[in-house]
Amino acid sequence: MGRRVLSASNFFPRGGSAHVIRALAERLPSEGWDVTILSGSRRDAGGHGDASRFYRGLDVHEVDFTAALSASDPMDPPGGAPPMHPSFEDRRDAPDRVFASLDDRALRERLRRRMHLVRLRTSAKGRIFGLQTQWGVRISLRRLRRADGMTLLERAGMPAVWRHSISECLALIDFLDARIVPLDAELRPFAQADPRAVLLDTIPGVAELLALTIAVEIGEISRFAGPEKLVSYGRLAPRVRQSGEGRPHTGPLNKSGSRLLGWAAVEAAQHAWRESNPWHQLYLDVGRRSRNHNSAKAAVARKILIAAWHMLSRNEPFKPAPRTGATSVPASSRLALAA
């Protein structure tokens, strides 16, 4: 009889521990161990949390919590259904809806890790665009990721060296996606449980994970006396130089403050090119004046942080002011903004 391991988890697959269990179960048989997994499971979340799918191909016995989740008291479901695990906190009257809470420092580190991975992925996508531009080629990333993507580049006249560079970038993107996707799934319950993130998610362009990032970096909104203080903390306030009574001159953005907060606001500002975005006209005006899309995105990012300050101070969702006939809005103005 071979050596046997029973790996049991009282939780449904939702975070790093489940990935560790799966990795060990896949590796231990090569070392002479037979592995059986006992795991909680839920089938009401579109696949995420379903132990039979997460541990597919392994010897897994699941304890299905789906019936308990629909019961009035998940800890005591009717009909003999398995109750939720003892640390279950997703009840309406629970003080904390996050299953296993992280302290602020640990949560912030996960968000910073996500920022690092996303920035690397964005850089790889930008390099693919630049390599194609050198040869007058424009093929979408989605199309390039298909089996015949490299063939399309060859037919377009791109030499093998450049095709290989693009292939390496695509492999890097796949590598990063494999790490970003589970991290996003791990962070999403925290975003859904944080009332500040739920409010910020109503800002156009701010999805739930960016909302969580902004909320965690801000902390208590009372720390900031006004929206301009929050903008400065997000490293989006330009430096101002003035000598005596002379005219003030603006310079590069101030580099003191939270890099993560500024990054999240600029990421959200990427959607300002859409006509439906409340700051679309601002994006066009600043881009036209500066001839720099980065300046336009920074201007919109400042507006997003101004909106965030008002929303969190009043505990109200985003509500854009009616658009006026004005053709230009200063980047530092509070016009066309109501939170």
Side-chain angles (χ1 to χ4, degrees), residues 70-123:
S70 61
S72 57
D73 184 359
M75 305 302 294
D76 187 22
M84 283 299 296
H85 47 74
S87 65
F88 177 69
E89 291 293 335
D90 198 25
R91 292 164 288 165
R92 183 171 299 175
D93 58 343
D96 181 4
R97 293 175 62 85
V98 177
F99 302 145
S101 62
L102 290 172
D103 59 55
D104 288 344
R105 184 177 178 185
L107 180 56
R108 186 174 292 111
E109 175 54 33
R110 293 193 185 192
L111 291 169
R112 286 174 177 167
R113 186 201 314 163
R114 181 179 184 272
M115 176 189 72
H116 177 67
L117 295 173
V118 171
R119 290 179 69 179
L120 288 174
R121 183 175 63 181
T122 300
S123 176

Side-chain angles (χ1 to χ4, degrees), residues 257-291:
S258 169
R259 180 190 300 270
L260 182 57
L261 177 61
W263 171 82
V266 172
E267 281 291 296
Q270 305 279 357
H271 297 268
W273 63 270
R274 303 177 186 273
E275 292 186 5
S276 59
N277 190 282
W279 300 293
H280 176 67
Q281 190 59 49
L282 171 65
Y283 177 81
L284 295 179
D285 290 344
V286 175
R288 190 180 302 115
R289 291 198 303 266
S290 64
R291 298 181 181 179

Side-chain angles (χ1 to χ4, degrees), residues 150-233:
M150 293 300 102
T151 302
L152 292 178
L153 293 176
E154 184 177 5
R155 291 174 181 172
M158 181 178 289
V161 172
W162 279 260
R163 296 199 307 272
H164 183 70
S165 295
I166 289 180
S167 179
E168 291 291 334
C169 288
L170 291 173
L172 177 59
I173 292 172
D174 290 339
F175 176 85
L176 294 170
D177 280 344
R179 282 144 184 81
I180 293 172
V181 170
L183 181 59
D184 286 356
E186 192 173 336
L187 289 169
R188 196 163 288 116
F190 293 93
Q192 296 167 352
D194 192 323
R196 301 167 304 169
V198 173
L199 275 181
L200 295 172
D201 192 13
T202 62
I203 301 177
V206 179
E208 57 184 358
L209 294 184
L210 288 180
L212 177 64
T213 304
I214 294 172
V216 169
E217 282 301 290
I218 291 176
E220 294 294 331
I221 193 62
S222 57
R223 297 168 53 204
F224 304 96
E228 67 282 352
K229 298 294 185 181
L230 181 59
V231 170
S232 179
Y233 181 65

Side-chain angles (χ1 to χ4, degrees), residues 242-260:
Q242 184 176 12
S243 177
E245 299 297 326
R247 181 180 177 181
H249 297 276
T250 58
L253 296 180
N254 192 356
K255 295 301 181 182
S256 61
S258 169
R259 180 190 300 270
L260 182 57

